[in-house]
């Protein structure tokens, strides 16, 4: 990860349950283009990464959450005029592994907070379910604005392992 990686994770760390950031045993990230095929790419990246970390048994739950976070970033966080082939992909998925926890975090360029829709009408709507699924399948989740000169936010979900 370059300088953007470490800067981007600072606000994320502040909002997580107490985990020593220096104790991250593994971390991986991938840039995702502003296209819906990015959700499949994110799932493939997650499967490959969890395989390398011997965490395949957690794939179903983690991949579901990754899919929802990436879908939300693509659907709600990209400006309508985002070029589909721009040089710097606007969405980035980070996976971080501690001894007993795993965090997946998705960075996007929007300053808007993610909103869980909680009415019955919205719950049955496809777009309203995403954060309910994230909340149901992860142990905790949250979001933070990016620090410094970076625009946007990070939405994260934490999984307890073992």
């Amino acid at each position: 990860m370059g300088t953007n990686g470490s800067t981007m994770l600072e606000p994320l760390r502040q909002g997580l349950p107490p985990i020593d950031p220096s104790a991250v045993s593994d971390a991986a990230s991938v840039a995702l283009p502003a296209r819906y095929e990015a959700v499949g790419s994110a799932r493939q990246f997650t499967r490959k990464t969890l395989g390398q970390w011997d965490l395949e048994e957690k794939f179903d739950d983690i991949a579901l959450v990754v899919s929802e976070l990436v879908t939300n970033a693509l659907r709600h966080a990209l400006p309508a005029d985002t070029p589909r082939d721009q040089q710097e992909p606007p969405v980035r998925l980070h996976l971080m592994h501690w001894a007993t926890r795993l965090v997946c975090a998705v960075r996007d360029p929007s300053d808007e907070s993610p909103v869980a829709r909680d009415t019955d009408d919205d719950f049955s709507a496809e777009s309203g379910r995403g954060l309910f699924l994230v909340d149901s399948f992860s142990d905790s989740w949250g979001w933070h604005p990016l620090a410094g000169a970076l625009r946007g936010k990070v939405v994260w979900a934490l999984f307890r392992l073992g």
Side-chain angles (χ1 to χ4, degrees):
M1 290 195 303
T3 52
N4 280 1
S6 57
T7 311
M8 171 249 157
L9 295 177
E10 289 312 315
L12 172 68
R13 288 173 177 152
Q14 291 166 18
L16 290 174
I19 306 173
D20 177 6
S22 64
V24 175
S25 57
D26 294 296
S29 72
V30 63
L32 299 167
R35 294 190 297 273
Y36 282 104
E37 305 90 82
V39 176
S41 300
R43 289 177 65 90
Q44 288 171 348
F45 175 80
T46 300
R47 182 182 293 281
K48 179 176 155 230
T49 303
L50 294 182
Q52 291 168 345
W53 296 347
D54 291 327
L55 295 172
E56 293 95 338
E57 75 281 358
K58 298 291 282 182
F59 173 74
D60 289 342
D61 288 355
I62 293 171
L64 177 81
V65 168
V66 162
S67 296
E68 292 299 333
L69 293 180
V70 171
T71 298
N72 282 351
L74 293 170
R75 182 178 287 152
H76 301 295
L78 296 183
D81 58 356
T82 300
R84 297 298 181 213
D85 56 353
Q86 67 185 41
Q87 293 302 304
E88 175 59 26
V91 175
R92 190 162 193 97
L93 166 65
H94 291 260
L95 298 174
M96 292 158 285
H97 176 218
W98 287 259
T100 59
R101 294 189 171 105
L102 181 130
V103 169
C104 53
V106 174
R107 183 182 90 196
D108 69 54
S110 170
D111 297 322
E112 296 288 312
S113 65
V115 178
R117 294 169 180 83
D118 54 10
T119 67
D120 289 338
D121 290 345
D122 280 339
F123 186 76
S124 62
E126 192 68 24
S127 62
R129 299 180 320 156
L131 292 175
F132 287 105
L133 291 173
V134 170
D135 189 58
S136 299
F137 284 86
S138 64
D139 291 297
S140 61
W141 73 277
W143 75 280
H144 294 279
L146 291 176
L150 291 172
R151 289 208 45 212
K153 69 177 172 300
V154 173
V155 184
W156 56 265
L158 178 135
F159 297 85
R160 290 191 176 86
L161 306 172

